[in-house]
Amino acid sequence: MSFSVTNSDSGLEYNATNLNKLFCQRRNLFNPRFYQMLSDLVRFYRQAPALLTEQDNQETLEQYLKKHHYSDIFINDHLLPMACALWSGPSASLMTMPARFLVAFMANHKMLSIAGRPQWRVVKGGSRRYVEKLLEKLPANVLTSSPVQYINRVYNGVSLRVAGEQLAFDAVVLACHSHQALGMLSEPSQAELEVLGGIAYQDNHMQLHADETVLPVDHKAWASWNVHVGKALSQHCTVSYHMNTLQGLNAPVEFIVSLNSAERVDPDKVFLERHYSHPVFNEKTIQSQQRWGEISGQQHTYFCGAYWGWGFHEDGVTSALNVVEQVAERASHA
């Protein structure tokens, strides 16, 4: 899970994997600002864990970094690009993220140390394997390309409007984004309006392509996650995932997934385009997360998704297991 940064304004490039790649631009061996970034990095790893003992600390990342006098190069050329790669958000939204939330994530994923980090792994064959394994053991009829138009809750279950038909079920599990879930509920409760509506989302334009020019100029700086920063790019998260490295692909071309980089990508090298929504993790989102128990399991309706955690696949699985426990407990009392 390697990580690189390219700054289009200063020309800085580095890959944080090892010393040779970190100093792939040899001039940085004599660059005091670059050493300032590294010094602040070590200081952040040493200082930030104290936030985990401060349960009531509501400082934003911007407030925390300013209070502790971290340098601009550390903030703009390391910490924010790393957060951008993790949460697919622009600098402005990331700076409003609770500092404790970021540090808790880094601590949980063993990212607050220079060495000894765990090896991240990928599912061979891609995330579609999740679906294939689920279908192998699922004793149910599966409807695809069948969007739910709305959901009515009644005293003994739920009624779903799907492709012009009314389908009745004992309960419904909404495993989708919170704003999508809210849009399907015909009569949301006040709590559902507050909790699901309290989580904001940002749009990201994704392209799967083979245009290597979005990667660092120096091939030694190529990494799994490659973030492009600069003043002109501050309104968007511009990260390119090098899939050949990330998933160990042996392919005749470089497969790259880029977010918000359409102006830089050769359209003739684009294989696929999509628009995704990613949750914004600010204080309001964190408060909404704490209210899951107020809405999940009410009115025969359950909610799961990565937005209940840090926004990753593992968080989606964790929230799904929480729903399974809720359903099992209800069944045991039926």
Side-chain angles (χ1 to χ4, degrees):
M1 190 56 71
S2 51
F3 167 69
S4 82
V5 174
T6 299
N7 188 316
S8 58
D9 297 333
S10 67
L12 174 70
E13 284 189 350
Y14 71 88
N15 178 327
T17 304
N18 55 48
L19 282 176
N20 184 44
K21 293 181 177 182
L22 183 65
F23 289 96
C24 61
Q25 291 180 317
R26 296 306 191 222
R27 65 176 181 268
N28 287 325
L29 287 166
F30 310 99
N31 183 353
R33 293 188 73 248
F34 194 74
Y35 284 104
Q36 178 66 62
M37 181 185 78
L38 300 180
S39 174
D40 277 353
L41 172 64
V42 174
R43 180 163 68 96
F44 183 82
Y45 287 167
R46 184 179 66 248
Q47 192 174 52
L51 280 171
L52 301 180
T53 64
E54 302 173 12
Q55 299 293 331
D56 297 326
N57 190 309
Q58 296 184 358
E59 283 181 311
T60 66
L61 183 59
E62 182 175 26
Q63 291 168 336
Y64 178 83
L65 294 171
K66 183 177 181 179
K67 183 173 79 173
H68 293 283
H69 307 291
Y70 283 96
S71 62
D72 288 343
I73 189 171
F74 168 70
I75 296 170
N76 297 322
D77 288 329
H78 184 79
L79 193 64
L80 285 180
M82 182 195 68
C84 165
L86 289 168
W87 284 289
S88 305
S91 299
S93 68
L94 294 170
M95 287 296 258
T96 65
M97 175 184 287
R100 191 173 180 277
F101 179 85
L102 169 67
V103 175
F105 171 84
M106 294 180 70
N108 186 69
H109 291 75
K110 305 293 189 280
M111 294 173 65
L112 289 171
S113 60
I114 300 295
R117 294 187 177 190
Q119 182 70 40
W120 287 37
R121 297 181 182 273
V122 297
V123 177
K124 187 176 292 186
S127 57
R128 67 178 180 177
R129 298 297 185 220
Y130 302 166
V131 178
E132 291 171 357
K133 289 295 183 182
L134 180 63
L135 292 177
E136 284 178 11
K137 299 184 178 182
L138 188 65
N141 294 324
V142 177
L143 302 180
T144 60
S145 301
S146 303
V148 176
Q149 293 157 306
Y150 60 82
I151 300 168
N152 284 329
R153 274 81 65 86
V154 294
Y155 75 95
N156 63 343
V158 297
S159 175
L160 277 60
R161 182 76 172 177
V162 181
E165 289 188 69
Q166 292 293 135
L167 304 177
F169 298 96
D170 295 327
V172 61
V173 177
L174 290 164
C176 54
H177 282 331
S178 52
H179 67 302
Q180 295 169 332
L182 188 58
M184 284 186 277
L185 299 175
S186 60
E187 295 183 13
S189 68
Q190 185 60 38
E192 287 168 341
L193 287 169
E194 293 173 0
V195 175
L196 300 175
I199 301 173
Y201 286 80
Q202 58 210 2
D203 179 77
N204 285 305
H205 179 202
M206 182 280 291
Q207 293 171 299
L208 171 63
H209 63 91
D211 187 351
E212 301 174 21
T213 62
V214 301
L215 298 177
V217 175
D218 190 328
H219 281 214
K220 290 195 294 294
W222 284 17
S224 296
W225 298 1
N226 305 272
V227 184
H228 201 137
V229 301
K231 290 180 180 178
L233 304 170
S234 60
Q235 299 303 310
H236 299 283
C237 170
T238 50
V239 56
S240 292
Y241 304 92
H242 185 216
M243 305 309 292
N244 299 54
T245 300
L246 190 60
Q247 295 192 334
L249 302 180
N250 182 13
V253 299
E254 306 298 335
F255 285 105
I256 303 161
V257 171
S258 292
L259 296 184
N260 308 313
S261 302
E263 294 181 358
R264 301 175 56 224
V265 175
D266 182 347
D268 292 333
K269 296 184 178 181
V270 175
F271 304 116
L272 181 73
E273 296 190 62
R274 293 284 188 272
H275 281 269
Y276 292 116
S277 292
H278 290 92
V280 176
F281 288 98
N282 53 29
E283 187 58 39
K284 194 171 182 181
T285 297
I286 309 308
Q287 291 173 358
S288 294
Q289 289 178 334
Q290 320 233 333
R291 299 180 62 186
W292 175 79
E294 292 182 35
I295 63 170
S296 191
Q298 304 299 314
Q299 300 185 79
H300 316 289
T301 308
Y302 300 84
F303 300 92
C304 65
Y307 65 91
W308 291 113
W310 283 299
F312 292 83
H313 288 242
E314 298 86 351
D315 300 303
V317 172
T318 298
S319 73
L321 292 173
N322 290 337
V323 164
V324 169
E325 289 180 4
Q326 275 193 319
V327 173
E329 185 176 354
R330 290 292 172 91
S332 68
H333 291 95

